[in-house]
Amino acid sequence: MNIVLGITGGIAAYKAPDLVRRLRERGGDVQIVMTASAEEFVTSTALQAVSGRPIRSNLWDKEAEAAMSHIELARWADIVLIAPATAEIMARIVSGGAPDLLTTICLATEAPIALAPAMNRVMWSNPATQANRRVLESRGTHILGPAVGSQACGETGAGRMLDPDTIAAAVFDIGTIQGEGLLDNRKVVITAGPTREAIDPVRYITNRSSGKMGYAIARAAAAQGADVVLISGPVDLPDPPGVEVRNVTTAQEMHDATHDCVKEADIFVAAAAVADYRPKDLKEQKIKKNDESMTLDLVRCPDILASVAALDAGPFTVGFAAETEKVDEYARSKLENKALDMIIANRVGNDCGFDRDDNAVNVLWSEGEKRYPQAQKSKLARDLVELIAERYYAARGTDTQPRLSVISTTD
Ligand code: CTP
């Protein structure tokens, strides 16, 4: 994995040589990019020795730019990790400014970005820093930590950089390595996010869904060589690189966009949280609160997943089941009732499943099942795509690609 490691000016920069060692032990090729203030805390001589590559720090270094320009560096990266990440670098990335080499790479890269914040606890809890954290997360940036504990400034609280081994493990979990081409020449259609069903011009019915799982599956399928169409309800996530994204709002639009392309698909994954009902009539004017109570007349939305599963010679069809209780039982009945090839079930509610970067799921199909423990959605998505590919080739009875024999199984 090609890792651009950005080091910014915090006392935790003294842990950077250890972090480099941990990343390299796991097989990472590490290119360090330091900011000017990082050089106050750790020497480039030490970092060059542990990383085995010349340190980059200056956007205007003609010799270094000639060897590998900042744009080439941004393309080279499978991931950009900034550790320690100061409040300043978080604010810079949020603002889109690019005054130096590191911020320019952040702006120019299509690779995932991970930050390991490290700062005084009051700086971390400052509303400005927390607002920046939320914006970064909504754009898909991975925020690793910070940890809680005693700080260099003598205070105790949240703001310590995570320990280098935990950061290195998280970086490899985020996982950006291209797959083995398990889905080369296959077309995969995925729905993701919620739908919105308008009540009047200012109100709508929707479901809780961040879209993160569907987007992670889209990225993982594309990394395995698939031609991916992602049909997305309204979410606050960046388009996954190399994926065709079709934005929709309502269940009917999602249904129509799906049927527009699903006939040529080999695999369909319904990760969207589609509204089951929509208001019967859309009020053209805002409804006024005249009465103590009111009743909305609702009608069923089309069941996209069931309609795809019912197609003659349709794709291998994978559904999701989000349940608050009896997860396996309800999921298996959905598998059967909707005639699916596979269903991915997870428990939701009480802080599980929604709007988080991790999840745990059970996958069920007619003659088997597999459990995946709590993991980052990106890692889970990679494992799920491998399993989907395996089951797809088995169900189609087609010659499995030779590479399928090396699928790793995760329990
Ligand atoms: N789904 C769909 N179209 C709908 C509703 C759901 O494609 N109109 C898909 C979802 O993307 C998900 C699966 O169906 O893959 C969820 O099944 P569903 O039975 O709709 O789940 P719930 O709405 O949670 O059902 P229930 O309320 O009966 O538990």
Side-chain angles (χ1 to χ4, degrees), residues 191 207 251 254 268-277 300-306 318-323 330 334 338 340 343:
T191 63
N207 278 322
M254 189 173 273
F268 174 63
V269 182
V274 187
D276 287 324
Y277 293 90
R300 281 289 287 269
C301 294
D303 190 322
I304 303 165
L305 177 61
V318 183
F320 270 78
E323 308 290 351
Y330 287 149
K334 275 176 197 170
K338 295 198 190 192
L340 308 179
I343 193 152

Side-chain angles (χ1 to χ4, degrees), residues 256-299:
D256 296 350
T258 301
H259 282 278
D260 197 40
C261 58
V262 84
K263 282 205 182 70
E264 308 88 61
D266 300 287
I267 296 170
F268 174 63
V269 182
V274 187
D276 287 324
Y277 293 90
R278 65 176 165 77
K280 189 166 176 219
D281 306 304
L282 168 63
K283 300 280 184 263
E284 283 185 11
Q285 304 302 331
K286 188 178 165 199
I287 301 170
K288 303 307 276 180
K289 50 177 176 309
N290 294 326
D291 301 319
E292 275 311 301
S293 65
M294 68 171 288
T295 305
L296 273 179
D297 223 349
L298 303 177
V299 292

